[in-house]
């Protein structure tokens, strides 16, 4: 299923994250407004601006310092169809942006369908091994 993203960043949460914007970039200080600007620019550079909407709004985590980001994942409508506002999945980066290797991961991790895990081969069953003491 092709996807489109609605990325929400809260301007009301103070705080700064230090991250590279793209892999290989130098880390820079990003507040909520800078994150919105950079995510919009990333979507343009990657040629996915028609599938990525970046907006200001509540992203959750209001009790702590941000910046916080949430991502709603929607199916991409077929040609000629209107898009709906029903998310099929979502992900939040509330208090977790510093764990990313770069800001571009917010788009990359969510825009493409995750790869299916390999199917198990049929065959004899194997007893699970438990650590000692279980």
């Amino acid at each position: 299923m092709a996807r489109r993203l609605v990325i929400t960043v809260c301007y009301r949460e103070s705080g700064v994250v230090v991250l590279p914007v793209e892999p290989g970039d130098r880390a820079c200080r990003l507040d909520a407004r800078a994150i919105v600007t950079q995510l919009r620019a990333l979507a343009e550079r990657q040629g996915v601006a028609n599938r990525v909407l970046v907006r200001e709004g509540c992203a959750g985590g209001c009790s702590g310092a941000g910046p916080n980001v949430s991502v709603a994942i929607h199916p991409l409508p077929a040609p000629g169809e209107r898009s709906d506002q029903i998310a099929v999945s979502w992900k939040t980066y509330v208090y977790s942006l510093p764990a990313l290797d770069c800001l571009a991961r917010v788009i990359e991790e969510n825009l493409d369908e995750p790869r299916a895990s390999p199917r198990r081969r049929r065959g004899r069953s194997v007893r699970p091994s438990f650590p000692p003491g279980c």
Side-chain angles (χ1 to χ4, degrees):
M1 161 186 71
R3 297 174 165 194
R4 67 182 182 86
L5 305 179
V6 177
I7 302 173
T8 305
V9 181
C10 183
Y11 284 179
R12 292 182 181 193
E13 296 164 352
S14 62
V16 174
V17 65
V18 178
L19 267 184
V21 174
E22 294 185 80
D25 287 354
R26 289 186 56 171
C28 59
R29 294 173 54 88
L30 301 165
D31 64 3
R33 292 180 193 278
I35 288 172
V36 167
T37 300
Q38 292 297 332
L39 286 172
R40 286 178 178 155
L42 279 165
E44 285 290 332
R45 283 194 301 273
Q46 293 174 0
V48 295
N50 62 330
R51 295 174 53 200
V52 176
L53 169 66
V54 182
R55 66 182 188 161
E56 185 271 329
C58 180
C62 299
S63 63
N68 292 315
V69 175
S70 70
V71 180
I73 302 164
H74 301 268
L76 190 64
E81 289 184 4
R82 287 181 33 182
S83 59
D84 61 36
Q85 297 304 315
I86 301 169
V88 294
S89 186
W90 62 90
K91 184 167 186 174
T92 65
Y93 297 91
V94 174
Y95 312 130
S96 65
L97 280 176
L100 298 176
D101 64 335
C102 65
L103 185 62
R105 288 287 170 248
V106 172
I107 294 174
E108 293 168 4
E109 285 181 348
N110 297 292
L111 192 59
D112 295 322
E113 180 100 17
R115 294 187 180 137
S117 58
R119 292 184 165 244
R120 289 183 164 184
R121 289 189 221 165
R122 289 190 172 195
R124 62 187 184 125
S125 69
V126 178
R127 277 181 90 183
S129 69
F130 295 101
C134 288

